[in-house]
Amino acid sequence: MTDSGFQLKGSVVTTILLEIRSFSLEGIVTQLEQKIAQVPNFFNQAPIIIDLSKMKRGIRIEEFEALIRAISTLGLSVIGWRCDPEALPVWHAQVSIALLPASKARAINMAPVSSAEVSPDVVVKTVVEEKRVPQATKIITKPIRSGQQVYAEGDLIVLTQVSAGAEVLADGNIHVYGALRGRALAGVKGDTEARIFCKSIEAELVSIAGNFMLSDALQKIVWKDSAQVYLTDEQLEVVPL
């Protein structure tokens, strides 16, 4: 008998990875607040995984629980944590959130490219968990609305617009024949030759193979005009078309 009341499906999930290198609750909260202020819609209620695998020292359960509470207060949802199996804390079974295995997903460094300094204590990344469905170029004919996410295993072509708060991801190139107001991540599996093309660049975030740029930086280069984004020597280039 087949139960038609529900279906189980794979999906593409962009999850934030908080990589702790040394523990300072105040410092971590301050840096998270700064990053959230840059792209608040991206972080609002976003799922987050705490990674302790690069901790320089052990962490007490009281510190870990305080960190979870602080992150939740900032509007993020802690869905799990990771740790080096050889340094698993004795208290690991007492934690209510899931202990997750290491992931092979593509991690995207969220340190702003415009920053001169990056604290070594904590690194914030996005992790793209990929659904592998054999597919070449994907063509979208309708506007991608806020809150929607579209992923293509090859190139992605959007014939209309990408709204603010929407997200488009592709293993290859991304073409938007309208306004790009949301987030566009091309080359998510590490293809440094991938590019983003759009008729009007108004994006919250653009990324090529993990290297990204936010809207405040884009506005100083090309804004509300046709543009392409590509990678040169691990630096994003944004030029008019």
Side-chain angles (χ1 to χ4, degrees):
M1 180 178 178
T2 302
D3 188 349
S4 59
F6 67 89
Q7 286 184 312
L8 297 176
K9 295 183 177 181
S11 66
V12 179
V13 179
T14 304
T15 306
I16 298 169
L17 182 68
L18 180 65
E19 188 177 273
I20 308 295
R21 298 185 177 181
S22 64
F23 187 82
S24 167
L25 182 59
E26 182 179 352
I28 292 170
V29 170
T30 298
Q31 291 178 67
L32 280 175
E33 287 175 337
Q34 292 172 350
K35 293 180 186 299
I36 291 170
Q38 293 174 347
V39 273
N41 290 333
F42 179 77
F43 287 98
N44 185 33
Q45 296 300 312
I48 186 168
I49 297 170
I50 301 172
D51 190 344
L52 305 179
S53 60
K54 295 186 179 180
M55 279 281 292
K56 298 177 182 178
R57 68 164 178 86
I59 182 172
R60 301 191 305 272
I61 188 170
E62 296 83 4
E63 294 175 321
F64 190 64
E65 290 176 339
L67 176 61
I68 294 173
R69 291 193 297 270
I71 292 172
S72 299
T73 301
L74 294 175
L76 298 162
S77 300
V78 182
I79 62 171
W81 65 295
R82 292 177 182 154
C83 184
D84 183 347
E86 297 181 358
L88 198 62
V90 295
W91 46 258
H92 70 275
Q94 302 176 44
V95 179
S96 58
I97 61 174
L99 176 60
L100 304 174
S103 173
K104 296 181 180 179
R106 172 76 179 172
I108 300 176
N109 196 337
M110 291 295 289
V113 294
S114 58
S115 294
E117 297 181 1
V118 178
S119 168
D121 296 335
V122 57
V123 175
V124 181
K125 301 178 179 180
T126 59
V127 178
V128 180
E129 304 285 356
E130 300 161 1
K131 179 181 71 171
R132 297 180 178 273
V133 178
Q135 187 172 341
T137 300
K138 177 181 286 188
I139 300 175
I140 304 298
T141 60
K142 296 180 179 179
I144 300 177
R145 299 183 175 86
S146 178
Q148 288 186 308
Q149 183 191 69
V150 176
Y151 167 72
E153 196 171 55
D155 288 356
L156 176 63
I157 298 175
V158 181
L159 297 180
T160 54
Q161 69 175 17
V162 178
S163 301
E167 185 174 72
V168 289
L169 308 95
D171 293 349
N173 304 305
I174 294 176
H175 304 255
V176 180
Y177 294 98
L180 170 57
R181 298 191 178 98
R183 299 178 294 274
L185 296 86
V188 297
K189 292 183 182 176
D191 182 2
T192 57
E193 299 299 318
R195 298 194 178 207
I196 298 171
F197 306 89
C198 60
K199 187 174 181 180
S200 179
I201 189 162
E202 306 169 40
E204 300 167 2
L205 177 150
V206 292
S207 171
I208 305 291
N211 301 271
F212 81 102
M213 188 178 291
L214 300 174
S215 60
D216 56 348
L218 290 170
Q219 291 177 38
K220 299 174 183 177
I221 305 171
V222 183
W223 192 249
K224 293 187 177 181
D225 200 354
S226 59
Q228 67 166 316
V229 184
Y230 60 92
L231 198 60
T232 301
D233 296 327
E234 298 186 354
Q235 294 292 325
L236 282 190
E237 297 288 342
V238 183
V239 297
L241 282 175

